[in-house]
Amino acid sequence: MDAIEPTSAVCDAGPLIHLFEISSLDLLKGFRSLLIPSQVWIDARKHCPDLLLTSIPAASLLPPPATLPPRLKSLGPTLNLHAGELEALAYLLDNPSCLFLTDDATARIAAQTLRISCHGTIGLIVRAIRQGYRSPEEVLALLHDLPRRSTLHVSRSLLQTIVARVEREFPS
Amino acid sequence: MMPRMKTLHIECPDPLAEQLEQLVREGWVVTQEQAILEALQRFIDAHQPELMKSQILDDVEWGLRGRD
């Protein structure tokens, strides 16, 4: 079977903050490169002053675009997108094979509108199993810990659904 | 008939409050309340629980079965 070429990813503040909170920034590995818009980095560091770029695998900062594409100039205010999200989407419009990592609901709506693939922190945590970074038991422990350790907003019932899904996939 | 109204008290950082006051002074919005209610409605519209749930469940399937 041919090896799968890793994708590059552009990361919003949410996954950086939430994975930092659960001491799991290493779950961002496995991408060819992890690009962080400069405004996203500023926002993430406001929440997590101890966050270091060197602690994020294959990470580099993206400079802000000179101008925003017209599509984003109208979409941004409509969806109340933050500057960091706009920077990310501007890059992704020119590089549509990249993945967008975000937890923000409106940023995800924008990505979907622009046909950009998009996933969030929960996906990165679960992905750790198939990537071999964590065992199913370790991932389930992380998921159970989210309400206590993280500011990621997930309803209790949804978290139970997610845990049940993972347990069904990996029965103990 | 007027809908029932609830009073919310919030603390707002000075820079944000000043930006809001400027919008009112310059006539972009009629009142601070109008702007806040509009922003609140937009936030709620974009954060429907069923939408967020489907986004996250899609994440879980990608986590389990994705190729990247």
Side-chain angles (χ1 to χ4, degrees), chain B residues 3 16 33 38 53 60:
Chain B
L16 193 57
E33 288 79 8
E38 187 173 320
K53 180 178 173 181
V60 173

Side-chain angles (χ1 to χ4, degrees), chain A residues 43-78:
Chain A
D43 294 341
R45 291 261 299 171
K46 279 183 191 167
H47 280 86
C48 309
D50 294 335
L51 183 62
L52 297 175
L53 196 62
T54 50
S55 61
I56 306 167
S60 59
L61 295 184
L62 269 179
T67 56
L68 279 182
R71 293 173 78 182
L72 289 182
K73 282 184 181 171
S74 56
L75 199 56
T78 304

Side-chain angles (χ1 to χ4, degrees), chain A residues 127-145:
Chain A
R127 168 185 176 263
I129 303 174
R130 68 171 160 89
Q131 295 285 80
Y133 306 149
R134 297 283 192 282
S135 66
E137 292 74 23
E138 288 170 327
V139 162
L140 287 168
L142 280 177
L143 291 171
H144 281 297
D145 265 357

